[in-house]
Amino acid sequence: MLQVTPSGPFGKERHPNLPVMLDELLAELRECFQAGAGGVHLHVRDEAGAETLDPARVNFVVARIRGLAAELGTTVEIGLTTGAWILPQMSERLAMIREWDGVDCATVNLSEDGFERVMQTVLDIGVGVDVGLWAPRELDLLIASGYLPVAQRVSIELDPGEPYFLQGTPPGVAKRINDALDDAGSDCRRLTHGMNAWTWPLVEDAFRRGHDTRVGFEDSILLPDGRTADRNADLVRVAFALEKAT
């Protein structure tokens, strides 16, 4: 599955065509789904363009995306962030997540305090847990938590910058994590992707391994040749072509 992550937490300062408002998002996703994306990782925005976990807004946006996919004659996976920076107060965040509807999976970052409580809440409402694993050092946390066997997917999300300043080659770091997951006996689906300069090496690594992967303005605005993409769909089309060539 090729996932698109059209905005992340960013705004127009990252790219003038980064979708912030709902009409922009739907226009971008129309192109991305037509280009071959089978899923979307969302940072839902409110009417002012700020990130939100509010269930009224989440459920409305998710329904609009479901309608778009139906109009295009396709089905897509809709995943959401549960990022603590959006709503730091844990009880309020969990209360909002409990009211989500129509979401297929929710990404829970191991780097965030209380990730176990968020994972359990996601499971309680019948939504799949997408584990956000940012570095090899987080593997012990995941295994000790007991949530690896019940996760829908592990997203191996690697960035040479903050917070871990990972060292080595992108495929080499990914291999360490995949080997450790194999050693732990995990057969959970995996999605491998990278940020910025690590984006395209890890897209190719994911395709070689038969993993899911993702592209989009959240991860990088650049095409493999260093040119700036005009739209998220440009990144999707290139990734889709790479998959066919692998």
Side-chain angles (χ1 to χ4, degrees), residues 20 44-52:
V20 174
V44 172
R45 308 298 180 104
D46 63 20
E47 292 182 352
E51 288 185 275
T52 183

Side-chain angles (χ1 to χ4, degrees), residues 61-140:
V61 171
V62 168
R64 291 292 301 275
I65 295 171
R66 291 280 180 221
L68 171 63
E71 178 188 331
L72 296 173
T74 189
T75 57
V76 296
E77 179 191 86
I78 299 178
L80 267 63
T81 183
T82 61
W85 66 89
I86 302 172
L87 188 59
Q89 218 294 322
M90 176 67 82
S91 62
E92 293 181 26
R93 191 172 358 131
L94 297 183
M96 287 191 174
I97 291 170
R98 288 189 188 100
E99 300 301 319
W100 286 358
D101 185 45
V103 178
D104 293 310
C105 60
T107 303
V108 184
N109 298 319
L110 295 169
S111 60
E112 295 178 355
D113 291 340
F115 72 84
E116 300 97 334
R117 293 181 64 190
V118 182
M119 288 183 177
Q120 188 58 54
T121 298
V122 168
L123 289 171
D124 288 346
I125 63 170
V127 171
V129 169
D130 178 33
V131 178
L133 195 162
W134 292 2
R137 71 179 69 180
E138 293 183 345
L139 281 160
D140 288 344

Side-chain angles (χ1 to χ4, degrees), residues 33-239:
F33 296 157
Q34 289 174 326
V40 57
H41 174 70
L42 287 176
H43 290 236
V44 172
R45 308 298 180 104
D46 63 20
E47 292 182 352
E51 288 185 275
T52 183
L53 304 177
D54 181 80
R57 186 63 176 177
V58 165
N59 297 346
F60 177 72
V61 171
V62 168
R64 291 292 301 275
I65 295 171
R66 291 280 180 221
L68 171 63
E71 178 188 331
L72 296 173
T74 189
T75 57
V76 296
E77 179 191 86
I78 299 178
L80 267 63
T81 183
T82 61
W85 66 89
I86 302 172
L87 188 59
Q89 218 294 322
M90 176 67 82
S91 62
E92 293 181 26
R93 191 172 358 131
L94 297 183
M96 287 191 174
I97 291 170
R98 288 189 188 100
E99 300 301 319
W100 286 358
D101 185 45
V103 178
D104 293 310
C105 60
T107 303
V108 184
N109 298 319
L110 295 169
S111 60
E112 295 178 355
D113 291 340
F115 72 84
E116 300 97 334
R117 293 181 64 190
V118 182
M119 288 183 177
Q120 188 58 54
T121 298
V122 168
L123 289 171
D124 288 346
I125 63 170
V127 171
V129 169
D130 178 33
V131 178
L133 195 162
W134 292 2
R137 71 179 69 180
E138 293 183 345
L139 281 160
D140 288 344
L141 283 173
L142 174 58
I143 293 168
S145 74
Y147 283 96
L148 177 57
V150 295
Q152 177 173 306
R153 180 173 60 221
V154 176
S155 283
I156 301 167
E157 310 187 76
L158 304 180
D159 187 340
E162 294 180 350
Y164 293 119
F165 299 98
L166 299 173
Q167 300 295 310
T169 66
V173 178
K175 183 178 187 301
R176 286 171 58 196
I177 293 174
N178 279 294
D179 287 350
L181 289 170
D182 292 342
D183 290 345
S186 175
D187 59 359
C188 186
R189 278 176 60 200
R190 299 174 199 175
L191 183 153
T192 304
H193 74 98
M195 299 292 289
N196 300 311
W198 283 28
T199 294
W200 293 106
L202 288 173
V203 167
E204 293 178 339
D205 185 74
F207 288 146
R208 284 193 296 268
R209 293 178 177 276
H211 290 181
D212 297 339
T213 190
R214 83 180 199 188
V215 293
F217 285 169
E218 176 177 1
D219 289 356
S220 176
I221 63 172
L222 300 179
L223 297 162
D225 62 8
R227 291 180 297 124
T228 299
D230 185 53
R231 300 281 181 183
N232 277 285
D234 296 333
L235 301 168
V236 172
R237 280 187 280 269
V238 171

